[in-house]
Amino acid sequence: QVQLVESGGGLVQAGGSLRLSCVASGRIFSSYSMAWFRQAPGKEREFVAAITWSGGSTYYADSVKGRFTISRDNDKNTVYLQMNSLKPEDTAVYFCAAQFRLSGGYDASVRYGNWGQGTQVTVSS
């Protein structure tokens, strides 16, 4: 299994930027597909972005395309989510997720067996 710890959340104004980090430990990080999900109060968890274990492909929810970028640094066992042009509707708890060598279904939360505790992102209008 992999233990995940998110950081980088905070309060920003609409139009601002924030960079989230997720540090993994416990297994070989380079063999895990990684993703970000988010959940706002009163709403269900939704997919944000994913990156394959090989790092060759990325996937994004339509709502964040062009604004968010997911990346990974295997030497640091870390996955990042760069969030630009933030909107109030981006306000949520952001969760990091990992699964050993996913071959598909990167946007499905049920595919991931490892989750962090989340970091709060609040975007003011």
Side-chain angles (χ1 to χ4, degrees), residues 44-59:
E44 62 183 32
R45 184 169 53 186
E46 65 175 347
F47 170 76
V48 177
I51 186 167
T52 57
W53 66 271
S54 66
S57 298
T58 57
Y59 305 86

Side-chain angles (χ1 to χ4, degrees), residues 1-3 24-28 32 77:
Q1 303 296 339
V2 174
Q3 289 71 52
S25 62
R27 298 293 293 272
I28 302 176
Y32 281 76
N77 284 6

Side-chain angles (χ1 to χ4, degrees), residues 1 14 19 24-25 31 35 42-43 49-51 56 73 76 80 87 91 93 96 98-100 117 120 125:
Q1 303 296 339
R19 186 178 180 84
S25 62
S31 297
K43 297 184 178 181
I51 186 167
D73 185 338
K76 297 181 178 179
Y80 304 96
K87 305 174 181 179
T91 295
V93 176
C96 179
Q99 181 61 40
F100 183 73
Q117 292 300 113
Q120 177 70 48
S125 60

Side-chain angles (χ1 to χ4, degrees), residues 41-120:
K43 297 184 178 181
E44 62 183 32
R45 184 169 53 186
E46 65 175 347
F47 170 76
V48 177
I51 186 167
T52 57
W53 66 271
S54 66
S57 298
T58 57
Y59 305 86
Y60 298 94
D62 289 340
S63 60
V64 305
K65 285 182 179 178
R67 299 189 298 122
F68 291 10
T69 302
I70 188 171
S71 62
R72 66 191 298 162
D73 185 338
N74 290 343
D75 291 335
K76 297 181 178 179
N77 284 6
T78 303
V79 63
Y80 304 96
L81 184 67
Q82 178 66 48
M83 304 183 293
N84 298 326
S85 301
L86 284 163
K87 305 174 181 179
E89 51 262 45
D90 294 319
T91 295
V93 176
Y94 283 70
F95 297 92
C96 179
Q99 181 61 40
F100 183 73
R101 293 189 176 183
L102 275 182
S103 59
Y106 300 103
D107 61 343
S109 62
V110 296
R111 289 273 191 154
Y112 297 87
N114 302 275
W115 294 84
Q117 292 300 113
T119 184
Q120 177 70 48

